[in-house]
Amino acid sequence: LAVIGIHVWKQLGVFVIIFLVGLKNIPASYREAALVDGATRWQVTRRVEIPLLKPVILFGVVMATIWAWSAFTEVYIMSQGTDISTGAEIQVMVTRIYAEGFLYFNMGYASAISFVLFIVSLLFVGLQFRIFREKPA
């Protein structure tokens, strides 16, 4: 939980800025038109702002997924740089790649794990694009 908390805290500022820029780029006339038509503030948010923020949300989700799969620094610091490959309580794929490649010099195995990580990340990103795809009207 500590590693997750550190990772979220580290990335939070980036995503806040990205979403604020996305909100600022929504023209005020869209909000005003919805309010004139009788929409409540919640309806404006749900039916105007969130659909217009869909590309920004997709970007945020994709970047969060990629950064989550490559969380090395937090794990390395929390384990204090000890031999993270032997029964460590904190281990992710990236730390295994580091251990295999740079501690045991098994560069081929480290490359294979890296390729698997790339394919898994690519599948998750593809799934996210499919979920966020515009539905025909």
Side-chain angles (χ1 to χ4, degrees), residues 15-75:
F15 292 119
V16 167
I17 291 172
I18 289 170
F19 281 99
L20 282 176
V21 168
L23 281 171
K24 288 288 186 184
N25 283 326
I26 295 175
S29 60
Y30 291 171
R31 290 184 194 98
E32 291 170 6
L35 291 172
V36 166
D37 287 342
T40 64
R41 183 68 188 133
W42 170 248
Q43 289 172 331
V44 170
T45 300
R46 190 166 156 247
R47 298 186 185 257
V48 176
E49 292 173 347
I50 291 178
L52 290 173
L53 281 176
K54 212 170 183 184
V56 175
I57 294 170
L58 175 63
F59 176 76
V61 169
V62 168
M63 292 307 297
T65 301
I66 292 171
W67 286 342
W69 282 109
S70 61
F72 174 79
T73 309
E74 298 88 354
V75 176

Side-chain angles (χ1 to χ4, degrees), residues 2-15:
V3 173
I4 293 170
I6 290 171
H7 188 73
V8 168
W9 185 254
K10 184 177 121 180
Q11 306 302 335
L12 185 66
V14 173
F15 292 119

Side-chain angles (χ1 to χ4, degrees), residues 88-124:
E89 290 110 17
I90 306 172
Q91 187 166 359
V92 292
M93 271 180 97
V94 180
T95 58
R96 184 66 185 185
I97 293 167
Y98 169 77
E100 289 296 331
F102 297 107
L103 297 178
Y104 299 126
F105 302 108
N106 294 329
M107 292 297 178
Y109 188 56
S111 297
I113 298 172
S114 299
F115 186 73
V116 168
L117 178 63
F118 170 72
I119 295 299
V120 169
S121 297
L122 194 63
L123 290 174
F124 270 91

